[in-house]
Amino acid sequence: MDDLLEVDPQVPPKLLCILHDEFKDPSGWSLAQNSNFLKGVKWSPDGVCYLTAADDNCLRIYDIPPSLGSSVAILDDDENLDRSSNDPSQQQLHGDLYSPALRIKAGELIYDYAWYPWASAIDPATCCFAVTTRAHPVHLYDAVSGQLRCSYRPFNKLDEMEAAYSINFSPDGSKIFAGGRNSVIYIFDLNRPGRDHDTISTYSKNNENKSKSFGGQISGQPGIISCIACAKDITGLMAAGSYSGIAALYDYRTPTQQLAVLEGHTGGITHLKFSPCGTYLYTGARRDGLIYCWDARNMSGAMYQLQREVSTTNQRVYFDIEPCGRHLASGGEDGVLRFWDLRDGSEAGKFRVAESDTVNGCEFHPSLPVLATATGHRRFFDDEEENSSEEEEVEEPRDDTGVEDHGDRLETSSGGEDDTVKCVRSGEGQFSLNRDENALCLFRVGMRVVNLKDDDVLMGSVARIWTDEGVSRLLQLAGTFARTNQGAIDALSNQGGDHWQAWAADLNEAGVNNSRVTALQVQQKMAASRPRR
C-alpha cells in the first residue's frame, strides 16, 4: 500500500447540511429565543453518528443522513455532487434536514463528554458515551436507547463527592479518566462503577514550598484539570491540561510518576490532542490565540505555534487532526475554520463557516471526507433594548480575514451578502440569527492522494494507523486500491477475536471482494440495523 488519502485544504469544502432550528427554541429553559449555543461536536468511532452538547443541558445524537449518499463519495468529482434543487444546502434555507435520533437531558451544566473508543453499531453493547456535569457523578449512557447504564463517583480527600471537569477513556476502553478540581485525576475501572478509583495527584503544595526554597520554579500542575487525552500508539501515555495554563504528561500505569510539565500558555488550557502516532501533542487554551506543538520525545520546548482567533473568549474551542495526521483544523471567534500543515506549522487554507459567530467545534469523520462543525457563543441582552417596543438593527463591521468567497456562504438575515453583519435584536426577548449561527454543519472536504515513498513527512507510522484502527478507515482506500481489499480483510481476520471477525464478515457480506464499496454504504447498513429508539 504505497498511497493514502489526506485532506486538500486548497479545495473549498462543500456545504452538505445545516442543523439550526433544533437549537433555536430552548423549550422553557430560557426566556430568550436563540440564546442557546453548541459546545462542540464529536463523531462516534465507527462514524455512524455524531454527538453534541448545548447550553440547554441537552445531549443530542444524530445519525449520519442517508440523503448524503449521493454527495459523500470517496474521491468523487464535482459532477457527482448533486447541485440541483434537491441539494441539501438549498433545503437548509427553510429548516433542518433531519432531527436528532436521540435527546438526553442532563441534570446540570455539561462540562465534558466522550465516546467509548470501541463503539460500533454492529455491537450495541459497545454503543455508549460518558458525560460529566456540574454537581453530578460521571454518567455512562447507552447511545442506542439513551438509558443511564451506570455512574462513577469521584471522592476527594475529605470523602466528599465532587464533579469531574473533564473525562476521557483509555485507548483500550478499560479505564475512565476524570479531571478533578483540586489538582487530581481520578482513574476508574470501566467494569467497576461506583466510588472505587485510583488517583493521580498532579500538584502538591509541599513541592511548591520545596521548589521556592531552592529558588526554582513551581513543580507540578496546579489547578482544575480541564482536559485529558491519551496517545493511542504509546501504551500508558496520557496528557492533561489545567486552567492554570500548564499541561503535563503522565504514565497512568504508574500514577505517582509525572513525566513532563509543559508551560507557555497565557490562558487556561481547554483542549489537547495527540497526533495519530502519539509522538506529538497539541495544546490550546482560552484567551490565548496560540496552539502549541510539543514533541513527546523532547519536552525542552514547543516545536512551533499555530495562530488562531480565540484571544478574547473563555469558551472551549476544539480542534482536530485528520486521520492520516497531516493537517490540523480549528475554528475561532471570527467564524473562520483554518487548516495548518503539521510539517512546519504553516497555514494551509481557511474558509468561512459562519458570518458572525464562533466556530467552537470541528471534527473529521473517521473514514469519510466529511467535516462536522459547531458554532455558537453566549449572548446577552441589554436591558434598555429588551424593554424597547421597536426593533433596532445594528450593523457591525466584519473583520477582514482574507477569506475568499467560494459561493458557499449563507445568506444573512437581511437576505443578501453585504460587507456588514446584520445583528437584529427585538424587544420581545429574542435574537434574530443567521442560519449559520448556533448551528451544526456538515461539509464535504477535498481529498488528495499522498505518495508515501516520495513524501515521508506524515506524523508516525501511517500505514499501521490505517490498519489497526478498524476497517472503516481501510475502506477509505478501497476506491483507489481495490486490489488490497481482500488482503485487508484477511489480515483483520487473522488478528483473531470476535470483534475483528465480525468486521470481516460484514465486509464480505457487503461485497467488498468483488466490487468497489464506499465506507458510507457499510455505515448506512450498520445504522439501519440499529434498534429503533
Side-chain angles (χ1 to χ4, degrees):
M1 187 180 299
D2 296 330
D3 301 330
L4 82 157
L5 303 178
E6 67 167 8
V7 172
D8 186 357
Q10 299 301 321
V11 177
K14 301 296 183 182
L15 178 63
L16 298 176
C17 70
I18 294 180
L19 305 175
H20 168 81
D21 292 348
E22 171 68 22
F23 311 98
K24 189 176 183 180
D25 184 7
S27 301
W29 163 80
S30 172
L31 297 178
Q33 192 178 26
N34 280 327
S35 61
N36 189 22
F37 64 93
L38 290 159
K39 297 181 177 180
V41 57
K42 298 183 181 182
W43 287 101
S44 63
D46 61 354
V48 172
C49 56
Y50 53 97
L51 171 68
T52 186
D55 197 47
D56 60 356
N57 303 337
C58 185
L59 295 136
R60 296 170 175 87
I61 294 180
Y62 288 88
D63 287 330
I64 187 169
S67 59
L68 298 184
S70 61
S71 303
V72 184
I74 306 304
L75 289 179
D76 275 355
D77 297 329
D78 285 344
E79 62 184 5
N80 293 328
L81 185 63
D82 186 8
R83 308 300 291 178
S84 64
S85 59
N86 294 325
D87 181 12
S89 64
Q90 297 298 324
Q91 299 178 20
Q92 292 310 288
L93 298 177
H94 307 288
D96 289 354
L97 190 63
Y98 58 105
S99 300
L102 187 65
R103 298 181 183 90
I104 299 175
K105 189 69 174 178
E108 284 284 353
L109 178 69
I110 298 173
Y111 286 146
D112 200 4
Y113 54 101
W115 282 99
Y116 176 67
W118 295 99
S120 171
I122 294 178
D123 185 4
T126 64
C127 294
C128 59
F129 58 91
V131 180
T132 178
T133 60
R134 181 172 55 192
H136 283 254
V138 175
H139 293 315
L140 188 70
Y141 285 100
D142 192 305
V144 176
S145 64
Q147 298 296 318
L148 176 64
R149 288 189 178 182
C150 57
S151 299
Y152 304 86
R153 295 173 291 168
F155 278 78
N156 59 23
K157 294 180 180 179
L158 301 178
D159 201 32
E160 299 172 339
M161 198 205 78
E162 63 178 30
Y165 285 80
S166 58
I167 53 172
N168 210 338
F169 288 88
S170 61
D172 61 1
S174 63
K175 300 181 183 298
I176 295 179
F177 304 110
R181 180 180 182 84
N182 297 316
S183 307
V184 64
I185 300 174
Y186 301 97
I187 305 178
F188 293 93
D189 188 330
L190 184 67
N191 297 320
R192 298 185 63 183
R195 61 173 295 169
D196 292 338
H197 56 73
D198 295 326
T199 59
I200 298 177
S201 180
T202 66
Y203 172 74
S204 173
K205 290 186 177 180
N206 294 331
N207 292 338
E208 176 186 359
N209 297 331
K210 187 176 180 180
S211 299
K212 288 183 177 179
S213 63
F214 287 94
Q217 297 180 351
I218 296 178
S219 175
Q221 184 184 23
I224 297 173
I225 304 301
S226 54
C227 49
I228 299 173
C230 294
K232 294 183 179 180
D233 280 8
I234 302 179
T235 304
L237 183 60
M238 177 182 66
S242 69
Y243 283 136
S244 63
I246 298 176
L249 295 180
Y250 301 91
D251 186 345
Y252 57 80
R253 298 170 300 177
T254 56
T256 59
Q257 185 175 2
Q258 190 176 70
L259 304 179
V261 176
L262 312 176
E263 299 181 76
H265 284 289
T266 58
I269 297 177
T270 55
H271 187 53
L272 44 77
K273 190 177 184 69
F274 280 98
S275 61
C277 64
T279 306
Y280 302 92
L281 175 67
Y282 298 87
T283 59
R286 61 186 183 184
R287 303 185 72 86
D288 186 345
L290 298 178
I291 297 176
Y292 285 85
C293 173
W294 311 85
D295 190 336
R297 300 163 297 184
N298 182 11
M299 289 298 181
S300 59
M303 295 179 59
Y304 54 77
Q305 302 167 354
L306 312 177
Q307 180 71 45
R308 61 175 181 170
E309 297 296 327
V310 294
S311 300
T312 62
T313 179
N314 286 321
Q315 193 171 3
R316 188 191 299 265
V317 178
Y318 293 91
F319 56 84
D320 193 31
I321 302 173
E322 66 170 319
C324 77
R326 180 67 170 272
H327 296 98
L328 181 145
S330 177
E333 297 175 276
D334 55 356
V336 175
L337 189 73
R338 291 174 171 84
F339 297 88
W340 290 271
D341 192 327
L342 297 184
R343 293 175 296 179
D344 54 8
S346 61
E347 187 173 297
K350 57 186 176 182
F351 75 99
R352 182 172 294 279
V353 175
E355 288 291 341
S356 58
D357 208 356
T358 301
V359 183
N360 59 61
C362 67
E363 186 156 304
F364 292 98
H365 191 279
S367 58
L368 296 176
V370 175
L371 177 69
T373 64
T375 62
H377 60 257
R378 193 179 301 279
R379 292 171 170 84
F380 297 95
F381 275 112
D382 189 332
D383 292 339
E384 294 181 0
E385 292 181 353
E386 189 172 350
N387 295 328
S388 63
S389 59
E390 296 181 358
E391 293 187 355
E392 178 183 358
E393 187 176 274
V394 182
E395 295 189 359
E396 300 176 359
R398 191 174 60 204
D399 293 337
D400 183 11
T401 59
V403 180
E404 297 181 1
D405 185 359
H406 299 289
D408 291 326
R409 182 179 298 172
L410 297 178
E411 291 186 353
T412 61
S413 56
S414 62
E417 294 183 2
D418 301 330
D419 293 332
T420 57
V421 177
K422 306 291 186 179
C423 299
V424 181
R425 298 177 181 176
S426 67
E428 298 179 356
Q430 66 180 15
F431 294 97
S432 296
L433 300 179
N434 303 332
R435 289 205 57 81
D436 57 2
E437 298 175 323
N438 285 358
L440 279 173
C441 301
L442 296 182
F443 293 91
R444 176 181 180 267
V445 295
M447 304 294 292
R448 64 189 178 193
V449 177
V450 176
N451 193 304
L452 292 181
K453 289 183 177 179
D454 300 330
D455 192 350
D456 57 354
V457 298
L458 299 181
M459 303 292 188
S461 177
V462 179
R464 182 182 177 190
I465 293 172
W466 288 75
T467 301
D468 290 346
E469 288 202 356
V471 177
S472 62
R473 292 188 179 178
L474 282 171
L475 283 177
Q476 186 170 351
L477 301 175
T480 308
F481 304 101
R483 64 183 182 279
T484 65
N485 288 336
Q486 184 58 51
I489 295 172
D490 294 339
L492 289 170
S493 299
N494 294 334
Q495 290 185 25
D498 296 337
H499 178 74
W500 295 111
Q501 291 177 4
W503 273 106
D506 189 77
L507 288 174
N508 281 312
E509 184 180 351
V512 175
N513 301 336
N514 302 320
S515 61
R516 177 179 183 272
V517 177
T518 67
L520 181 65
Q521 291 174 280
V522 175
Q523 289 166 344
Q524 286 180 350
K525 177 182 176 182
M526 291 189 294
S529 65
R530 301 173 73 189
R532 291 183 176 271
R533 301 182 181 92

